[in-house]
């Protein structure tokens, strides 16, 4: 296990003690959901935690727990009664991360996020008032608030949504799964009952949202970890690139979420890949050089051609510069 993973796990283990002190007798399943881990991982952590403590490593030195899948309780904390304090570097990193998502629609409750920002700024300043200007939460669009509420309550939604790829506005009933962030845009990932598949709905294109008085019922195969890692696999609202991948670039198929469509006689492979934005996909493909050829759509072919031509022109301009490649060394004498 790498040092960074060990450090992350140690922090999680130490912060679990005050959590269980504040929630005595909580079940392992409830605690795992709160802490963002699986029940299996939680039980592994608890088995590790009761071997941690103070030097001496005997009775009265080690953290002591009473735990099973039905109940978890700390019987001796070894002095770890509160979460660890943040260093100034950690607090600053947390501020930067929180600010980066606080204004993205749907990712977090803006009021809670900006209240947390104010508290962290106050702690960094070491005073009773927040450092710098007061953090004011932006107004959240009603549709965004409704989506977050339905997701928290596990309720189905009726959406009025603008599909940019088809330039149409449609109404549909969906079962929310999760909120995801892709290329600085936040999306609702949900099961579309009409399409009978997982779809992504960009928050700034949701025109209206209504929470229904019925539970969300996405199929289990749509909510598992594999589905979370393959967000764009079958969403026709997301652009689809058609690619030809050279035989010696077969590793690309393993590194990126692609679907093979044909194996050609020379060993090349044709494949498809969903992507969020044209600029991102063009940059990705240019990095492969001649190893990957774009077959479609036409807009992506044009974007890659224009970017590659601009790069070649820039290199040509440098080559024509009389001073290009020369090294100039200045001798500075005594003053």
């Amino acid at each position: 296990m790498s040092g960074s993973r060990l450090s992350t796990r140690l922090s999680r283990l130490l912060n679990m003690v005050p959590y269980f002190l504040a929630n005595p007798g909580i079940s392992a399943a409830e605690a795992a959901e709160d802490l963002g881990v699986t029940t299996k991982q939680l039980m592994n952590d608890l088995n590790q935690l009761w071997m941690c403590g103070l030097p001496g490593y005997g009775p009265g030195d080690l953290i002591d727990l009473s735990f099973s899948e039905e109940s978890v309780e700390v019987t001796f904390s070894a002095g770890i009664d509160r979460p660890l304090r943040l260093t100034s570097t950690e607090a600053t990193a947390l501020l930067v991360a929180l600010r980066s998502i606080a204004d993205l629609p749907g990712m977090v409750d803006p009021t809670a996020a900006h209240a947390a920002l104010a508290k962290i700024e106050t702690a960094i300043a070491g005073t009773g008032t927040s450092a710098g200007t007061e953090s004011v939460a932006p107004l959240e669009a009603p549709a965004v608030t409704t989506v977050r509420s339905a997701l928290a309550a596990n309720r189905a939604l009726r959406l009025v949504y603008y599909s940019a790829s088809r330039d149409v506005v449609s109404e549909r009933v969906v079962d929310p799964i999760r909120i995801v962030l892709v290329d600085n845009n936040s999306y609702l990932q949900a099961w579309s009952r009409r399409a009978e598949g997982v779809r992504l709905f960009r928050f700034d294109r949701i025109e209206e949202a209504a929470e229904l008085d019925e539970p969300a019922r996405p199929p289990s195969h749509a909510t598992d970890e594999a589905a979370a890692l393959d967000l764009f696999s079958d969403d026709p609202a997301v652009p689809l690139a058609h690619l030809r991948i050279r035989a010696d670039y077969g590793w690309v198929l393993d590194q990126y979420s692609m679907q093979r469509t044909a194996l050609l006689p020379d060993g090349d492979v044709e494949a498809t890949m969903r992507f969020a934005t044209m600029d991102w996909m063009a940059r990705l493909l240019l990095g492969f050089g001649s190893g990957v050829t774009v077959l479609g759509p036409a807009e992506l072919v044009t974007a890659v051609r224009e970017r590659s031509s601009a790069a070649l022109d820039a290199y040509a301009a440098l080559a024509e510069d009389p001073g290009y490649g020369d090294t100039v060394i200045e001798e500075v004498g005594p003053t």
Side-chain angles (χ1 to χ4, degrees), residues 158-164 166-174 192 194 201 205-209 237:
R158 177 175 286 106
L159 301 179
V160 175
Y161 185 75
Y162 169 67
S163 176
R166 292 179 292 146
D167 193 27
V168 296
V169 175
S170 61
E171 182 177 312
R172 63 194 81 190
V173 174
V174 303
S192 172
R194 185 178 67 185
F201 301 96
R205 293 176 183 164
I206 299 175
E207 298 188 356
E208 297 178 23

Side-chain angles (χ1 to χ4, degrees), residues 197-228:
V198 176
R199 296 292 183 264
L200 289 173
F201 301 96
R202 214 168 97 171
F203 270 95
D204 59 358
R205 293 176 183 164
I206 299 175
E207 298 188 356
E208 297 178 23
E211 184 176 333
L212 303 182
D213 190 21
E214 59 178 284
R217 301 187 302 272
S220 58
H221 69 268
T223 60
D224 61 20
E225 293 184 5

Side-chain angles (χ1 to χ4, degrees), residues 16 22 57 159 260 274 316 321:
M16 285 170 69
Y57 311 112
L159 301 179
R260 304 177 191 220
R274 298 279 179 190
D321 185 349

Side-chain angles (χ1 to χ4, degrees), residues 21-222:
L21 285 171
N23 299 276
I26 191 171
S27 70
E30 290 176 299
E33 184 176 357
D34 285 349
L35 297 169
V37 296
T38 63
T39 302
K40 180 181 178 181
Q41 180 64 62
L42 178 73
M43 299 305 288
N44 288 338
D45 286 347
L46 291 172
N47 277 302
Q48 181 72 40
L49 187 59
W50 70 270
M51 293 186 287
C52 301
L54 303 171
Y57 311 112
D61 300 319
L62 300 178
I63 295 169
D64 201 3
L65 305 139
S66 171
F67 64 93
S68 65
E69 291 199 0
E70 289 73 34
S71 174
V72 181
E73 191 165 352
V74 177
T75 54
F76 178 64
S77 67
I80 305 176
D81 299 322
R82 293 181 300 172
L84 300 177
R85 291 181 179 275
L86 295 174
T87 65
S88 59
T89 301
E90 291 170 335
T92 302
L94 183 59
L95 276 175
V96 172
L98 190 53
R99 285 190 186 281
S100 69
I101 65 171
D103 296 329
L104 289 171
M107 297 305 297
V108 293
D109 180 342
T111 302
H114 283 263
L117 284 167
K119 290 179 180 179
I120 297 170
E121 290 171 344
T122 299
I124 292 176
T127 66
T129 57
S130 177
T133 59
E134 184 179 353
S135 183
V136 178
L139 293 176
E140 188 173 50
V144 175
T145 303
T146 301
V147 170
R148 284 198 302 101
S149 173
L151 190 61
N154 194 34
R155 297 283 186 179
L157 281 165
R158 177 175 286 106
L159 301 179
V160 175
Y161 185 75
Y162 169 67
S163 176
S165 61
R166 292 179 292 146
D167 193 27
V168 296
V169 175
S170 61
E171 182 177 312
R172 63 194 81 190
V173 174
V174 303
D175 299 294
I177 298 173
R178 58 178 64 86
I179 294 172
V180 295
L181 178 65
V182 181
D183 203 17
N184 290 324
N185 288 308
S186 44
Y187 295 81
L188 169 67
Q189 185 184 13
W191 177 263
S192 172
R193 296 183 183 180
R194 185 178 67 185
E196 296 186 345
V198 176
R199 296 292 183 264
L200 289 173
F201 301 96
R202 214 168 97 171
F203 270 95
D204 59 358
R205 293 176 183 164
I206 299 175
E207 298 188 356
E208 297 178 23
E211 184 176 333
L212 303 182
D213 190 21
E214 59 178 284
R217 301 187 302 272
S220 58
H221 69 268

